[in-house]
């Protein structure tokens, strides 16, 4: 594919593993430089950056807890100094703390909202001024079909992912005059560490019309398309990638 992303710089939160890794890989394959943000596993993040650098792009890993306002601001500053510009932001970092509502502690609720929703706000707030100056930018928020359909045991997670959809539409309206698009991707079950326990679960597979889990690289390909010139007229959209599960 030639999506014309040579020389651009992408910030991908949670880019060291799973879907985020695949998004970075798809962007690096198109010549995009990559700043990976991660929360705990330095070895994995450094290995990911080394793998992307082998494709001939610049890639660097940054330890950054996106839910922490100061951490997010300092990291964006460091990325800008290192890469010179930021063209693409993919808010992909996400966590789960699944419990039925009567057993869900306030901390389980707040931790998930903080990382999944507030983290995206911090990143957008710090990065959009750079994009606005360039009169161009692409923001992608990784939501979930849980944010569209709800899911028992995920009151916190589905609230965060539905919140991301509202945030996506508001940001799209606010930043369109600056040449910035903002879209959400809503994956269904995708094979990563997060969903390992469902891989052989017949009740999950039978709820997916295509009868399989998605592959991270399928989400990566969609994200790369949304960053390409061909997707310039798409904004405020929520694209399901779920094997038909939420239709
Ligand atoms: P994953 O394999 O668990 O990877 C999570 C990534 O996020 C890791 O790179 C992790 O870094 C990073 N991270 C976690 N907390 C962070 C924080 N506070 N600040 C910065 N980075 C943080 O997850 P995944 O399955 O690829 O999911 C990626 C996104 O897709 C999430 O938003 C998830 O909700 C969404 N999603 C996933 C599925 C699915 O089926 N997998 C379905 C729908 C939506 P460390 O390893 O260093 O901790």
């Amino acid at each position: 594919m030639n999506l014309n992303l040579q020389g651009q710089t992408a910030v991908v939160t949670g880019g060291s593993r799973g879907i985020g890794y695949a998004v970075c890989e798809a962007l690096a394959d198109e010549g995009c430089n990559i700043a990976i943000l991660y929360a705990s596993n330095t070895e994995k993040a450094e290995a990911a950056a080394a793998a992307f650098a082998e494709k001939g792009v610049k890639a660097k890993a940054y330890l950054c807890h996106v839910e922490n306002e100061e951490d997010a601001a300092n990291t964006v500053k460091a990325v800008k100094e290192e890469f010179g510009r930021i063209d693409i932001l993919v808010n992909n970092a996400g966590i789960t703390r699944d419990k039925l509502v009567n057993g869900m502690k306030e901390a389980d609720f707040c931790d998930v909202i903080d990382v999944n929703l507030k983290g995206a706000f911090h990143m957008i707030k710090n990065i959009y001024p750079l994009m606005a100056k360039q009169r161009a930018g692409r923001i992608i928020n990784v939501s979930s079909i849980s944010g569209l359909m709800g899911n028992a045991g995920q009151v916190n997670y589905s609230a965060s992912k539905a919140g991301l959809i509202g945030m996506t539409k508001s940001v799209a309206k606010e930043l369109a005059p600056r040449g910035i698009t903002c879209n959400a991707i809503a994956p269904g079950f995708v094979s990563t560490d997060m969903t390992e326990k469902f891989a052989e679960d017949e009740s999950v597979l039978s709820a997916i019309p295509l009868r399989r889990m998605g592959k991270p690289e399928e989400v990566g390909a969609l994200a790369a398309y949304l960053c390409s010139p061909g997707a310039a007229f798409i904004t405020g959209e929520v694209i399901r990638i779920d094997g038909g599960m939420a239709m």
Side-chain angles (χ1 to χ4, degrees), residues 14 16-17 19 39-41 64 67 92 143 157 161 188 190 192 195:
S16 57
R17 293 194 276 132
I19 289 173
S40 60
N41 193 332
C64 171
E67 68 277 23
N92 162 80
S143 177
Y157 182 80
K161 294 301 185 179
V190 176
T192 68
T195 52

Side-chain angles (χ1 to χ4, degrees), residues 9-245:
T9 296
V11 172
V12 181
T13 69
S16 57
R17 293 194 276 132
I19 289 173
Y21 183 99
V23 169
C24 292
E25 193 168 43
L27 293 173
D29 281 338
E30 300 299 332
C32 193
N33 300 316
I34 308 289
I36 300 168
L37 274 51
Y38 70 100
S40 60
N41 193 332
T42 301
E43 206 176 314
K44 206 146 206 173
E46 299 286 356
F52 305 141
E54 269 183 28
K55 295 175 184 290
V57 301
K58 184 165 173 170
K60 196 167 169 184
Y62 296 83
L63 178 62
C64 171
H65 290 94
V66 293
E67 68 277 23
N68 181 304
E69 191 175 16
E70 209 183 324
D71 214 2
N74 289 337
T75 303
V76 170
K77 205 165 157 236
V79 173
K80 167 76 170 55
E81 273 166 23
E82 178 73 32
F83 289 81
R85 56 187 293 129
I86 299 174
D87 306 279
I88 294 165
L89 165 63
V90 183
N91 282 312
N92 162 80
I95 60 167
T96 53
R97 298 274 186 276
D98 296 355
K99 293 215 171 56
L100 293 175
V101 70
N102 65 349
M104 187 175 286
K105 299 203 163 61
E106 191 188 9
D108 299 323
F109 188 83
C110 292
D111 287 354
V112 169
I113 298 288
D114 280 359
V115 174
N116 298 7
L117 187 57
K118 200 169 78 178
F121 164 68
H122 288 154
M123 296 308 299
I124 291 168
K125 188 167 179 190
N126 283 286
I127 288 179
Y128 98 80
L130 309 176
M131 293 176 166
K133 259 192 210 146
Q134 294 160 193
R135 310 294 299 173
R138 300 290 166 95
I139 300 171
I140 298 172
N141 295 322
V142 180
S143 177
S144 164
I145 59 166
S146 288
L148 294 169
M149 307 164 75
N151 194 20
Q154 290 197 314
V155 161
N156 49 1
Y157 182 80
S158 47
S160 74
K161 294 301 185 179
L164 270 181
I165 290 173
M167 188 186 289
T168 298
K169 294 181 182 185
S170 296
V171 167
K173 286 184 176 171
E174 238 178 81
L175 301 187
R178 316 284 187 98
I180 300 165
T181 68
C182 182
N183 292 290
I185 291 176
F189 284 91
V190 176
S191 302
T192 68
D193 296 343
M194 189 182 266
T195 52
E196 220 177 358
K197 55 183 183 255
F198 302 111
E200 308 292 328
D201 187 332
E202 259 316 306
S203 67
V204 166
L205 295 181
S206 64
I208 305 170
L210 286 177
R211 292 285 184 273
R212 67 170 174 86
M213 309 259 287
K215 300 175 191 160
E217 54 270 30
E218 291 169 331
V219 184
L222 173 57
Y225 167 68
L226 285 173
C227 296
S228 72
F233 204 50
I234 303 174
T235 197
E237 188 53 272
V238 184
I239 303 180
R240 285 189 299 109
I241 174 160
D242 64 350
M245 191 172 180

